[in-house]
Amino acid sequence: LAKTTQPISMDSYEGQEVNITCSHNNIATNDYITWYQQFPSQGPRFIIQGYKTKVTNEVASLFIPADRKSSTLSLPRVSLSDTAVYYCLVGDSQGSARQLTFGSGTQLTVLP
Amino acid sequence: DVKVTQSSRYLVKRTGEKVFLECVQDMDHENMFWYRQDPGLGLRLIYFSYDVKMKEKGDIPEGYSVSREKKERFSLILESASTNQTSMYLCASSSNREMENNEQFFGPGTRLTVL
């Protein structure tokens, strides 16, 4: 199973760009990388998913280097409402859910 | 709008009691999952199901069982609750088995306390 490692916490200020890196050294060929966001007292919510290079949507960008051993979630111009826990998830496209591994999560705190 | 609901937001039970946590999704999803979430440990998969009456163990199945009699409903059962099962329990569903675009939709969670 591809284990993931993320920073436990990060602080930022409103309006700044935030980059959260996830390490997944044992990622397999078929694995995709997915990021979720979780607010207190709520279930996680899908943010973005990618396989290689760069993916961008209306919420975030995901950068994946050629070796795919890490990935970086980029949140542009964060606001106070982006304060949440962010999870990096690595999973097998053909396997069972047992191949899915949630990281321990990164607590992002956005300060005014 | 997609929706996953869980029967209770908060639950308090006593050691040894049998506990049922219910999860219902209205998206006609094939896959359903039960996780528990504890501080510092992230989300850990307990059981999952890819079809009615089908179940597979996750990473921490000990002390739990599940039931999926209908496609939309996935129940987590604690046969004899213990204090170390005090946790936040999260149910999720997704539309297909493959990872690409396999977004999991989560319920709000059930905070279970076992006294």
Side-chain angles (χ1 to χ4, degrees):
Chain A
L1 298 179
K3 180 177 168 60
T4 60
T5 303
Q6 304 173 233
I8 293 174
S9 64
M10 294 181 69
D11 290 343
S12 181
Y13 290 96
E14 280 192 290
Q16 289 187 334
E17 178 184 76
V18 171
N19 296 308
I20 306 175
T21 297
C22 179
S23 172
H24 28 80
N25 290 321
N26 297 323
I27 190 169
T29 303
N30 294 329
D31 283 346
Y32 282 78
I33 301 154
T34 312
W35 286 79
Y36 284 78
Q37 175 191 55
Q38 185 178 24
F39 297 113
S41 302
Q42 294 186 24
R45 183 174 69 104
F46 174 92
I47 302 176
I48 197 166
Q49 184 185 77
Y51 183 79
K52 61 180 179 181
T53 63
K54 177 183 175 183
V55 179
T56 297
N57 61 23
E58 65 278 5
V59 176
S61 295
L62 180 59
F63 297 92
I64 304 169
D67 66 7
R68 304 202 325 123
K69 292 184 183 297
S70 66
S71 58
T72 299
L73 174 72
S74 181
L75 304 172
R77 298 179 298 282
V78 294
S79 64
L80 296 177
S81 62
D82 292 316
T83 293
V85 178
Y86 292 83
Y87 289 95
C88 170
L89 175 66
V90 176
D92 186 337
S93 65
Q94 295 181 351
S96 72
R98 293 196 70 172
Q99 304 301 316
L100 299 178
T101 302
F102 273 85
S104 56
T106 297
Q107 171 66 58
L108 172 66
T109 302
V110 180
L111 305 169
Chain B
D1 197 16
V2 298
K3 200 159 188 182
V4 178
T5 56
Q6 296 184 227
S7 51
S8 305
R9 291 302 302 271
Y10 300 93
L11 207 54
V12 179
K13 295 292 182 180
R14 296 207 173 271
T15 301
E17 281 193 76
K18 190 169 185 176
V19 181
F20 293 87
L21 302 182
E22 306 285 344
C23 175
V24 177
Q25 50 94 4
D26 64 0
M27 299 163 281
D28 200 35
H29 283 170
E30 292 80 10
N31 312 321
M32 297 189 75
F33 309 85
W34 274 106
Y35 295 88
R36 64 176 283 176
Q37 183 172 29
D38 301 288
L41 297 177
L43 277 73
R44 293 181 291 168
L45 182 64
I46 305 172
Y47 267 98
F48 61 97
S49 169
Y50 284 135
D51 201 352
V52 175
K53 296 190 186 295
M54 177 274 177
K55 59 186 179 183
E56 286 195 37
K57 293 179 179 179
D59 296 320
I60 52 166
E62 295 78 19
Y64 304 94
S65 62
V66 290
S67 172
R68 193 166 182 201
E69 296 296 319
K70 294 184 178 181
K71 189 176 185 180
E72 68 271 17
R73 187 180 298 270
F74 193 36
S75 302
L76 180 69
I77 303 158
L78 287 66
E79 294 290 341
S80 178
S82 63
T83 55
N84 63 12
Q85 292 178 309
T86 291
S87 185
M88 170 70 83
Y89 290 88
L90 290 158
C91 175
S93 71
S94 66
S95 62
N96 57 53
R97 187 174 301 199
E98 295 184 4
M99 187 63 189
E100 184 179 7
N101 299 319
N102 190 12
E103 176 181 351
Q104 291 192 24
F105 295 86
F106 283 82
T110 296
R111 172 78 61 186
L112 172 67
T113 301
V114 182
L115 302 176

